Every structure is written in structure tokens, then in C-alpha cells.
């Protein structure tokens, strides 16, 4: 073993790492401001369309988290799956998945759930989970992993949404999974280049 060999730390997944850092900053700001910054920027709810903050919240809500448990739960999954996807599909494509998921979940919550304050990266996590099942797709085939992931994760969210009363936005998970599935299909067909 060569004792002169040095171990280097690499910034292997810039989009996922920066997104995780933004989420951490949003959480700390929320704690320091006693939730004021979270309500102002890092959650989405029905508000005036004449306010510029409404449009920022359509995207910013994915960075907000209610507490450390919420943050750690989302970041653990994101940091496990995200770098692999970013390596396979490219940084710009993964950034597009994150932005598309934020916009879809933000607008749906804004329109259909006016009194619900939505925050968190779980929609992005579900998009990544479903997207990951497309990593080995070939022309004319549907991976069994995609079917299993869809049944287990999305089916579980439908069940929870109908039968479990908690503070979890199951619709956001389902929408995130839908965005991940749709973009996974498009990327697998090489309709989005690797950037």
C-alpha cells in the first residue's frame, strides 16, 4: 500500500449538493426567524398573484422543511439517489427535474389546496425514486423495477391519502413520482440529451 497516496474529496454531484445546501440554509433561516422566512419564501399556499413572492414560493417551497426530522428524512433519500441520477442523466437534466417537480407541485397546491401550506423536498425525492427505475430502460420495454416502484411507492401514497390522516402531502408525492416517470421516459428515449 502506497503511504503517499492522498484521498481527495470530490464535489461529485453539484446540483444535488447545492440543492441540499439550499434546503439546509432554508431550514436554519426558518429556525432563526421563528418560521417567518419559511412562510414568506419556503412554502406555497394561496396568496395574491400580484405578489412577486407568490411566484418565488412556487419554486422555493421545495427548500423549506418543518423541522430537522423532516429535513433529514428528505435529504437522506435525496443524497442516496440523486448523485447516481445526476451521473447518469447529467446535471442540467437533474436540475430540470427538480424545477419541474417544484413548479407542478407548487401550482397544484396553490390551486386545489388554498388553505394548506406545502413545503419540503419529498416531491423531488419521489420524482428521483421513479426516475431511478428508468435507468436501464430499453426500447419497447417497461422495467419490472419501474412497475414495482410505482406500485409500492405511489400505491402506498394513494392508500395513505385515502386512509391515513396525517400531515403528509401524499398528492405531492404522487405528482413528484409522475414528473419523475414522465421525464424518465423522455430521457430514456434520448429526447433530452445528457447535459
Amino acid at each position: 500500500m502506497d503511504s503517499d497516496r492522498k484521498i481527495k474529496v470530490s464535489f461529485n454531484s453539484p446540483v444535488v449538493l447545492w440543492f441540499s445546501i439550499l434546503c439546509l440554509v432554508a431550514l436554519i433561516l426558518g429556525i432563526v426567524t421563528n418560521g417567518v422566512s419559511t412562510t414568506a419564501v419556503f412554502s406555497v399556499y394561496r396568496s395574491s398573484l400580484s405578489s412577486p413572492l407568490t411566484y418565488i414560493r412556487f419554486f422555493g417551497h421545495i427548500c423549506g422543511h418543518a423541522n430537522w426530522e423532516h429535513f433529514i428524512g428528505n435529504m437522506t433519500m435525496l443524497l442516496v439517489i440523486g448523485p447516481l441520477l445526476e451521473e447518469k442523466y447529467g446535471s442540467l437534466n437533474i436540475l430540470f427535474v427538480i424545477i419541474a417537480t417544484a413548479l407542478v407541485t407548487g401550482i397544484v397546491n396553490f390551486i386545489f389546496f388554498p388553505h394548506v401550506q406545502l413545503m419540503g423536498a419529498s416531491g423531488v425525492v419521489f420524482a428521483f425514486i421513479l426516475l431511478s427505475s428508468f435507468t436501464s430502460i430499453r426500447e419497447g420495454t417497461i422495467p419490472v423495477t419501474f412497475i414495482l416502484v410505482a406500485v409500492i411507492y405511489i400505491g402506498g401514497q394513494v392508500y395513505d391519502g385515502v386512509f391515513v390522516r396525517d400531515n403528509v402531502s401524499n398528492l405531492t408525492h404522487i405528482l413528484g413520482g409522475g414528473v419523475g416517470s414522465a421525464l424518465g421516459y423522455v430521457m430514456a428515449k434520448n429526447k433530452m440529451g445528457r447535459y
Side-chain angles (χ1 to χ4, degrees):
M1 185 170 214
D2 186 1
S3 62
D4 293 335
R5 202 179 270 178
K6 294 181 181 178
I7 297 175
K8 295 179 182 177
V9 175
S10 68
F11 204 70
N12 63 321
S13 182
V15 169
V16 171
L17 290 170
W18 278 115
F19 177 59
S20 302
I21 291 166
L22 282 174
C23 290
L24 178 61
V25 168
L27 178 65
I28 292 169
L29 280 172
I31 292 168
V32 169
T33 64
N34 201 26
V36 172
S37 63
T38 303
T39 300
V41 181
F42 302 116
S43 59
V44 68
Y45 47 86
R46 180 73 57 85
S47 58
S48 172
L49 290 173
S50 64
S51 169
L53 286 177
T54 298
Y55 302 97
I56 292 170
R57 286 190 287 265
F58 283 151
F59 300 98
H61 71 95
I62 60 172
C63 295
H65 289 84
N67 52 42
W68 285 105
E69 282 181 6
H70 187 205
F71 171 79
I72 290 169
N74 281 332
M75 291 306 109
T76 300
M77 289 296 289
L78 189 85
L79 290 169
V80 168
I81 301 169
L84 301 172
L85 293 174
E86 192 168 342
E87 184 177 318
K88 167 130 179 101
Y89 295 112
S91 296
L92 287 179
N93 284 335
I94 291 304
L95 179 60
F96 184 77
V97 171
I98 292 170
I99 290 170
T101 303
L103 187 60
V104 168
T105 57
I107 289 174
V108 167
N109 190 80
F110 180 88
I111 293 170
F112 295 106
F113 302 98
H115 305 295
V116 174
Q117 186 174 354
L118 176 68
M119 71 180 86
S122 57
V124 174
V125 169
F126 270 77
F128 281 9
I129 289 169
L130 272 290
L131 178 61
S132 70
S133 64
F134 277 94
T135 56
S136 62
I137 193 170
R138 288 184 298 277
E139 187 69 35
T141 64
I142 297 174
V144 172
T145 54
F146 171 74
I147 295 167
L148 290 173
V149 167
V151 168
I152 292 168
Y153 279 96
I154 301 301
Q157 292 307 303
V158 171
Y159 175 85
D160 287 351
V162 173
F163 297 109
V164 178
R165 296 288 166 232
D166 56 17
N167 218 8
V168 174
S169 177
N170 303 99
L171 180 60
T172 298
H173 298 168
I174 294 167
L175 290 170
V179 170
S181 298
L183 293 177
Y185 179 78
V186 169
M187 286 188 275
K189 295 278 195 178
N190 290 324
K191 292 179 181 165
M192 288 174 74
R194 188 187 182 286
Y195 301 103

